[in-house]
Structure formats: structure tokens, C-alpha cells
Amino acid sequence: MKALLSESPGGPETLAVKEMPTPTPGPGEVLIGVKAAGVNFPDTLIIRDLYQIRPERPFAPGSESAGVIEAVGENVTDFNVGDRVQALTMFGGFATHLVVDQSSVQKIPGAMPFDEAAGFIFTYGTSYYALIDRGDLKAGETVLILGAAGGIGVSTIEVGKALGARVIAAVSSEEKAEFCRSVGADEVVLYPLEMDRSAQKDFANAVKKIAGPDGVNVVYDAVGGDYAEPALRTLGWEGRFLVVGFPAGIPSLPLNLTLLKSCQVIGVFWGAFIKREQDRYAEHLKALFSLYNEGKLKPRITARYPLQKAADALRDIETRKAMGKIVLTVD
């Protein structure tokens, strides 16, 4: 088998494709012949030792992948050789083969292509958990999504619309704005790549003008940095500010705003949720695949890279150039 390995901490340039022995599944494990792997922002962090999880090196990044089961270990009862599946592993997915515990594997719908399956669970799972469990988003409410053109942002637009919410997408260019409109965003607001105090005020005022006097009900912040405070200022009474990620840096928020608005700042740690709340996670998966089969969710894959060029895919993610979902195709 081949795998894209991280052998020392660093950026995408430190990764290299290496030949390795194909692993054998142990008890409760399956061997997947990988067909596609999703590329996500945490993949850019884990190779730098900046993520919550720090695997022992050498390891392959890649938190989600899809393919066909080629072998099963003892005591595997839910899967057979030939099953089409998706696996959520947090790392190890950038490889031609992957051994994973059966508890981290899900069968995929027969009509779902491997590239869509590989780009589905991480983004839509995060967005669904955030909006349903943490944000308590209801039909008719308004949600503001920062970084709305990326993979996680696009999934949040679609989940928000599926829940009957009004969606305001915030992005950094007109190209990204048009992309968000095509996905289903009701309104779009532009913000600059560098956010000074004047730009923060302009951004907040633009959102407030669209949202109306009651403000937005939920902010989905997967950007952080200087974008967080103006987004918090757009919240209405008893609004919910969802903290999802920090590609622009960890922000400092004026907590007096939470008092004046009687609003909440709520953390969204989906990786911990799926381990601690497995029954609820299973319910989420069932709901997400149902929405996919109804045509309400569909990964917007805008770029496909071969495994050998995974470093280019990771650079697109970390420089925030990517729109929609990027996947690796594995031969």
C-alpha cells in the first residue's frame, strides 16, 4: 500500500508518499481499499502538532475516507467484504488502504459516489451537531455563517436551509458570494481579508441591515480572529454564538455584549461529541443520510487531487482559497 506520511512536524511540504506493508485487520476491525478521502482544515493542523489529537509518527493525515471493504477481522458482524463504506478516523485516510475499528465505519447509500461519501460526514456532521444540538436553530430563525464558501460553510448553508432557517452567508469575495447563492444562501455579505476596526463596524452594520431590528438568532463562526467580535454584535436578544474553529486566530470577545444581549457563546467540539454521545451521533447520521437521499444535502466538490498531490490540496485549504469541498482520489 501507499500512504502520504507525516514524519516530522511541519506544513504540507513535509509530507511524502511512501510504500508500506498493507495492514491486516484485527478483531473488530475492517480493511478498506480507499477510493477517495476528504480534505479538511484540521488536516493542516494535525501535521503541525497544532490539533487536539497528536498521533505517533509516522502517520498519514486524513480524517475521513470512503471505499470498499477488502477484509474483515474476527467478531465483525455488521460488515462484509465488498461493502461500500465511509470511515471517520481523525487521521490515516490519505492512503490506499486503511484498517479501522468497525465502530467508525458506516455503509453509504448505493447511489452515493465515493468522492461525495468521502466529503460528507465531517462537514455535515459538524454543521448538524452545531445547528441542532448546540445552536437550537428553529425554522424561521436567521443564521449568519462566517467563511460560508468553504466546505464546512457550504454544509452549514445546506443544513440551515433544510431546517427552514434564513441563511446569511459571509465571505471575502464576489466569486465566493455567487457560489454561496448557488448553494442556497438567502443573503450574502462581503468582508475584507484584513479586518480593522473600521471594517469590523462596516461588516456588523451590513449584517444588521439585512437581519433587521431583531438581529440574527445564531452565528456560526468557523473563522475566529477579528471576524468574531463584529459577528457577535449582530446577534439579537438571546442569540447563540457558535464557536467552531479559528483559522484566522483565537479571538477575544467583549463579554459585556453577552450581558446586554442576554446571549450565549457556545463551544462546538464535534470530535468529542461523536465519542461521548454515540447514540445521538447515530441518530444524526441517520438524519443526514435521509436528507442526502431527499436531495437536500449534496457535497459541492470543486477540486479533486490525486494522492501524490495532497500537499496542494492542503495548501488550498490553509490559504482559504478553497470553495466547497476538496477530495483526494485514490487509485
Side-chain angles (χ1 to χ4, degrees), residues 172-258:
S172 60
S173 72
E174 186 55 47
E175 181 185 12
K176 291 181 178 180
E178 188 58 36
F179 180 65
C180 289
R181 293 186 187 101
S182 73
V183 173
D186 297 291
E187 306 283 353
V188 179
V189 176
L190 297 180
Y191 51 58
L193 290 175
E194 298 294 333
M195 185 77 84
D196 58 21
R197 294 302 295 182
S198 176
Q200 286 181 323
K201 184 177 180 180
D202 290 343
F203 172 55
N205 287 338
V207 174
K208 290 177 181 178
K209 183 177 180 180
I210 292 173
D214 294 331
V216 304
N217 303 103
V218 174
V219 169
Y220 186 99
D221 181 11
V223 177
D226 294 331
Y227 302 85
E229 180 180 331
L232 177 63
R233 292 182 180 276
T234 69
L235 275 180
W237 179 253
E238 294 186 343
R240 289 86 73 195
F241 186 98
L242 303 179
V243 180
V244 184
F246 318 103
I250 298 175
S252 297
L253 297 175
L255 292 182
N256 62 304
L257 293 177
T258 65

Side-chain angles (χ1 to χ4, degrees), residues 7-28:
E7 298 178 304
S8 61
E13 70 282 355
T14 65
L15 304 175
V17 176
K18 298 291 182 69
E19 195 76 37
M20 301 176 64
T22 301
T24 300

